[in-house]
Amino acid sequence: MLKKTIGMGGFTLAEVLITLGIIGVVAAMTMPTLINSTQGAQYKTGFKKALTVLSQAVVMNIALNDYDLSQVVAGTNTAAAGTGTDGTSTPATELGGAQSLYDLFSNRLNIVRTAAGSDFDATAGSSNQWLIVSDTDSADRNAYKAGHCSTGCANNYPGFTVGDKWADDATIIMMNDGISFIFDNTQSTCQKANTDIGVANDSYCFGFIDVNGQKAPNRVVQCDGAGGADAANRPDGSDDFACTVSNPTDIYPIALYDQSVIPASAAARAVLYNK
């Protein structure tokens, strides 16, 4: 008696190619979103870490040197490399001012390099480039500053122009974890209003955290829809600004006062506090 055999079916070449094509299309559609989401999470984590590190440095300085941000004095910003009065090319040797912002943080952080904006260039493709790609949240930052310096505050954010590098007089400290803190070292008396001790108005100091330093994308964080048709009606950066940030970036404005280091724009706050 002959045994009937049942043939094993298989995929044809056309079916395999069609399946691979579908997988490729799905991957092409989802991978950019997945990559952006992963990078955004890294930037958010880096921002939280940087705030914690800077805050801890202030607290440690109080314990060891007995002064906080409200007692810092105006120091000297970094000079361009090669112009040091001591004949060296190290910008850090030009930083001055006992109890300046630089002195406070340099004594408490693991710094691998100190630089000035003039140490970088804006030449496309240059290994020494630190190009600021976007800054559409500047209105929020300026309004935040105005709200905390109502009588005229001498403290300023480090200057930069979109499409250019940090301003020449910006002080940049680069930490061993890749995070950079950019600030104006001539700022002083970073404090919040306190009528109990005779301080009538806020006098915050300001800076930026770049969570991955010189690396791209070098974009200042912004709220979703920033710069769109509703730009003229955007709120002023106050705490009740209902801001969402779908794609966190790497540069965050911060404010410093007393013993605190906090986000200083609606977008920066959204990244820190929103899930």
Side-chain angles (χ1 to χ4, degrees):
M1 182 175 179
L2 295 176
K3 182 181 291 186
K4 185 175 180 181
T5 60
I6 301 176
M8 298 294 291
F11 294 109
T12 65
L13 178 61
E15 290 173 331
V16 171
L17 292 176
I18 291 173
T19 302
L20 291 175
I22 293 173
I23 293 174
V25 170
V26 173
M29 294 173 62
T30 58
M31 282 302 292
T33 301
L34 179 61
I35 292 173
N36 287 338
S37 177
T38 301
Q39 289 180 333
Q42 292 175 339
Y43 297 148
K44 181 176 182 178
T45 300
F47 179 41
K48 289 183 176 181
K49 177 182 178 181
L51 285 175
T52 299
V53 168
L54 294 178
S55 297
Q56 288 176 342
V58 175
V59 172
M60 186 179 297
N61 201 71
I62 296 170
L64 298 178
N65 284 64
D66 198 27
Y67 73 92
D68 63 14
L69 292 164
S70 69
Q71 297 162 291
V72 297
V73 300
T76 303
N77 279 317
T78 54
T83 61
T85 56
D86 59 359
T88 72
S89 60
T90 307
T93 61
E94 294 300 304
L95 286 168
Q99 289 192 197
S100 68
L101 282 174
Y102 172 78
D103 290 323
L104 187 158
F105 288 111
S106 64
N107 289 335
R108 309 297 164 215
L109 300 175
N110 292 318
I111 297 175
V112 295
R113 181 187 174 192
T114 302
S118 52
D119 292 328
F120 300 95
D121 62 51
T123 305
S126 169
S127 60
N128 199 35
Q129 185 182 44
W130 198 328
L131 189 70
I132 310 301
V133 177
S134 70
D135 181 35
T136 55
D137 232 14
S138 59
D140 283 347
R141 289 203 318 276
N142 291 336
Y144 185 94
K145 176 188 170 184
H148 293 85
C149 299
S150 56
T151 60
C153 182
N155 298 326
N156 291 298
Y157 284 99
F160 66 87
T161 302
V162 176
D164 204 347
K165 62 184 178 63
W166 294 106
D168 289 351
D169 60 357
T171 296
I172 304 172
I173 55 177
M174 305 173 191
M175 292 173 265
N176 61 351
D177 54 6
I179 295 173
S180 293
F181 175 36
I182 302 97
F183 59 101
D184 180 349
N185 194 46
T186 64
Q187 299 180 103
S188 64
T189 318
C190 317
Q191 61 186 342
K192 187 176 180 65
N194 186 344
T195 55
D196 291 338
I197 58 174
V199 180
N201 297 286
D202 294 334
S203 180
Y204 288 17
C205 291
F206 305 98
F208 289 94
I209 289 172
D210 192 333
V211 299
N212 59 357
Q214 196 174 349
K215 296 180 182 178
N218 290 332
R219 292 181 178 274
V220 181
V221 68
Q222 61 183 5
C223 300
D224 293 347
D230 64 338
N233 299 317
R234 287 170 52 75
D236 62 4
S238 57
D239 289 326
D240 59 357
F241 184 178
C243 168
T244 57
V245 179
S246 300
N247 295 305
T249 49
D250 56 339
I251 299 179
Y252 296 84
I254 60 171
L256 307 94
Y257 66 90
D258 299 325
Q259 301 175 24
S260 302
V261 181
I262 61 174
S265 75
R269 284 193 299 277
V271 172
L272 180 64
Y273 299 124
N274 293 351
K275 294 182 179 180

